[in-house]
Amino acid sequence: MKKKIFSGVQPTGNLHLGNYLGAIKNFVDLNNDAQNKCIFCVVDLHAITVSQNPKDLKSNTHETVATFIASGIDPKKSIIFKQSQVSAHSETAWILSCVARMGWLNRMTQFKEKAGKDKEKASIGLYSYPVLMAADILLYDSTHVPVGDDQKQHLELCRNIAQKFNNDYKIENFFIAPEPLIKKEFSRIMSLKDGLKKMSKSEVSDLSRVNLTDDKDQIINKIKKAKTDTLPLPSAIEELEKRPEAKNLIGIYSSLMNNTLQESIDEFAGKNFSEFKEKLSDIVVNEINPISSEIKKLLDDKVFLEKILKEGYEKANEIASKKIKKIHEIVGF
Ligand code: TYM
């Protein structure tokens, strides 16, 4: 069966190694399989759930498209488009928000984390954000959604919304409950400064992440300064459980080398971090440096990036318009 792949990335700047290893690298592999039909969306409607400077949002949208292409997504094979251009997303999100239950949304841990202590001051958009995400996915009859581990709960919600809509309106298989594609290992890359915290765009310290726009010296410096412990590298996987920073760095190494964790442990058992970090720097630079140079080149050609978005919009809009028309009929509009 042909897989219909859909995923999204927020244009909020600072795309990093976590986004790459957890999501974008998988997008590229899926894009390269001729069996798949892939759609990759720059989710600017999601971005404004927290305050954005309009100028930055525009340039971050270009940067996200440039990152997709620089990483290896081929716009001739996959649709790349901007969420706000296809109005069916907002419309479907509203309809689905009348299907989703408050109780379901109240359980979303990402909202709790992002809203922090002062929930009353969080935007309603931040709260209902997973419903918009469900609309994104369901509009395209997506069968598979590649994401990092942090999106697992949102995908479960999407499946529940799809099933409830189909039940409420007594129309079997209208919305397809999608399968998450989350890598078993390395789908949660942690901060370089704290192995218990997720690597994140919004973390104040730039040293906590390798950005996909970092140059060679910046990458080497960040890995050199990455937090470790004082012991040599372990010889057994179990030992990593008590050593989150070591686990994260070995995980990054393994993911980039397409190694299992055990293979990397076998390679470095008993060695000290300085030796390991040198190797790690080399492979991060090898992977990220060509991408960052290509991003910079593409960002100089806004006409090209806009052309990709326009072509993507036309293709995505054609699919989404058909689906929203059917939704209108089902709902009784
Ligand atoms: P966003 O923009 O926060 O992140 C984009 C992708 O990167 C993954 N990711 C990570 N993976 C591993 N380690 C990390 N430290 C890390 N940080 C981020 C995320 O899991 C994600 O796959 N809600 C989504 C965007 C979205 C979407 C969708 C995704 C909107 N609509 C429909 C799939 C389908 C988000 O905010 O991703």
Side-chain angles (χ1 to χ4, degrees):
M1 194 189 75
K2 256 195 169 180
K3 285 186 191 148
K4 288 189 186 173
I5 311 288
F6 185 100
S7 200
V9 174
Q10 293 193 57
T12 39
N14 297 338
L15 284 176
H16 51 70
L17 195 60
N19 299 119
Y20 181 72
L21 295 177
I24 298 171
K25 193 167 180 265
N26 305 336
F27 300 175
V28 177
D29 294 339
L30 292 161
N31 160 95
N32 287 338
D33 183 340
Q35 282 290 311
N36 300 332
K37 282 178 97 175
C38 300
I39 305 182
F40 300 114
C41 184
V42 183
V43 293
D44 52 352
L45 295 172
H46 277 98
I48 62 161
T49 54
V50 296
S51 169
Q52 298 293 333
N53 172 321
K55 258 198 191 148
D56 292 346
L57 184 62
K58 230 179 198 173
S59 64
N60 287 332
T61 298
H62 283 149
E63 193 169 301
T64 309
V65 177
T67 305
F68 283 168
I69 298 172
S71 304
I73 296 174
D74 178 354
K76 288 200 186 75
K77 289 190 194 152
S78 298
I79 299 176
I80 297 175
F81 79 106
K82 181 162 77 170
Q83 187 186 30
S84 61
Q85 284 195 297
V86 178
S87 57
H89 287 251
S90 318
E91 209 181 318
T92 307
W94 176 258
I95 295 167
L96 296 182
S97 73
C98 300
V99 173
R101 303 291 94 179
M102 294 278 288
W104 299 356
L105 283 167
N106 286 342
R107 285 197 281 276
M108 294 296 114
T109 52
Q110 197 169 78
F111 173 74
K112 289 178 194 158
E113 278 160 27
K114 285 198 176 170
K117 285 196 190 85
D118 208 351
K119 277 211 251 338
E120 300 287 314
K121 288 207 174 131
S123 73
I124 293 169
L126 189 67
Y127 179 73
S128 62
Y129 167 120
V131 179
L132 174 61
M133 187 166 154
D136 300 339
I137 296 165
L138 299 177
L139 264 176
Y140 298 91
D141 296 331
S142 317
T143 59
H144 294 82
V145 181
V147 281
D149 177 73
D150 61 341
Q151 299 298 319
K152 201 174 180 173
Q153 201 185 23
H154 293 161
L155 281 180
E156 205 40 58
L157 182 88
C158 172
R159 292 172 58 86
N160 290 338
I161 292 176
Q163 275 149 8
K164 187 166 191 305
F165 184 96
N166 293 348
N167 285 342
D168 286 358
Y169 289 99
K170 298 184 181 49
I171 175 155
E172 237 176 279
N173 301 325
F174 175 70
F175 281 136
I176 293 163
E179 293 296 328
L181 290 179
I182 300 173
K183 289 247 151 118
K184 263 203 208 84
E185 284 179 308
F186 325 128
S187 59
R188 190 175 185 83
I189 304 297
M190 310 309 271
S191 157
L192 298 180
K193 286 284 155 201
D194 180 349
L196 296 174
K197 262 175 129 181
K198 200 179 68 171
M199 186 178 282
S200 153
K201 299 167 185 171
S202 52
E203 177 62 46
V204 183
S205 169
D206 196 51
L207 289 175
S208 69
R209 62 183 165 259
V210 172
N211 297 310
L212 299 182
T213 48
D214 283 346
D215 62 26
K216 186 176 170 191
D217 291 343
Q218 284 170 308
I219 295 173
I220 293 171
N221 182 41
K222 285 177 179 179
I223 291 184
K224 204 184 250 168
K225 294 201 168 136
K227 188 177 168 194
T228 53
D229 51 44
T230 50
L231 300 170
L233 284 144
S235 53
I237 289 189
E238 301 75 59
E239 283 178 60
L240 286 178
E241 288 316 315
K242 291 164 274 160
R243 302 175 63 186
E245 284 80 19
K247 184 179 180 192
N248 187 41
L249 294 181
I250 296 179
I252 293 173
Y253 181 82
S254 308
S255 178
L256 285 168
M257 294 290 286
N258 290 319
N259 271 358
T260 63
L261 211 48
Q262 190 60 55
E263 284 168 336
S264 302
I265 286 179
D266 291 346
E267 188 179 345
F268 293 103
K271 300 206 166 130
N272 58 29
F273 273 105
S274 58
E275 191 178 338
F276 168 65
K277 278 182 166 183
E278 255 179 54
K279 273 257 174 125
L280 178 63
S281 287
D282 283 349
I283 64 145
V284 178
V285 167
N286 272 348
E287 182 99 6
I288 301 304
N289 216 29
I291 296 176
S292 70
S293 319
E294 190 60 23
I295 293 174
K296 283 177 196 128
K297 242 197 258 160
L298 287 165
L299 284 174
D300 282 337
D301 194 351
K302 300 280 181 326
V303 176
F304 172 72
L305 296 174
E306 281 297 326
K307 182 172 158 273
I308 299 296
L309 283 175
K310 183 170 178 289
E311 288 170 1
Y313 155 70
E314 281 162 5
K315 291 181 198 153
N317 195 48
E318 197 185 323
I319 305 170
S321 302
K322 284 189 189 140
K323 193 77 177 173
I324 189 76
K325 219 171 147 205
K326 288 191 197 146
I327 297 174
H328 275 217
E329 281 166 23
I330 292 169
V331 171
F333 286 164

